[in-house]
Amino acid sequence: MARRALIEREKRRASLTARHFERRAELKRLIAAPATSPEERADAVRQLASLPRDSSPSRRRSRDMVDGRPRGALTRFGLSRVRFRQMAHEGQLPGIRKASW
């Protein structure tokens, strides 16, 4: 189980990312456009840098939805490898069977 503070920090980052998504996309589009003047581009870069650091999607960490484990998270299931194996053995994941060959 991850510390409660780390899970809450991740939730805060998720909300910041959602809140600033449109503005970040607009500024990045403006920076990447070849028709943008150098002054406008520099201004857009400054505005992008002034947004909260945690609003960047790359600062988010994929975690286990059940206990918040940060490492070994399988994005397809939203579980860590440890929790996935445990739930699969208990038959709690429909359609998942242990392989044997």
Side-chain angles (χ1 to χ4, degrees):
M1 179 85 184
R3 285 191 353 234
R4 189 82 204 146
L6 298 179
I7 295 171
E8 292 302 319
R9 180 189 305 163
E10 202 58 44
K11 287 180 185 176
R12 183 175 49 87
R13 282 182 179 159
S15 69
L16 274 172
T17 301
R19 189 179 331 149
H20 294 283
F21 180 78
E22 296 290 330
R23 182 69 179 144
R24 289 184 75 84
E26 177 186 334
L27 289 171
K28 285 188 170 204
R29 183 187 49 76
L30 196 64
I31 292 168
T36 307
S37 70
E39 296 83 26
E40 288 177 345
R41 183 171 286 121
D43 186 44
V45 168
R46 274 192 295 276
Q47 288 178 17
L48 186 62
S50 70
L51 289 175
R53 179 180 292 174
D54 282 342
S55 68
S56 173
S58 62
R59 290 184 61 92
R60 301 217 23 225
R61 178 93 169 147
S62 58
R63 290 185 173 269
D64 185 336
M65 291 183 339
V66 178
D67 63 0
R69 179 182 166 85
R71 306 275 178 122
L74 306 173
T75 54
R76 183 174 176 186
F77 298 97
L79 301 170
S80 67
R81 59 182 178 77
V82 177
R83 179 73 53 176
F84 177 81
R85 187 170 190 272
Q86 175 191 1
M87 291 176 78
H89 280 298
E90 293 172 356
Q92 295 178 353
L93 299 175
I96 304 295
R97 294 187 309 182
K98 186 175 184 310
S100 63
W101 59 89

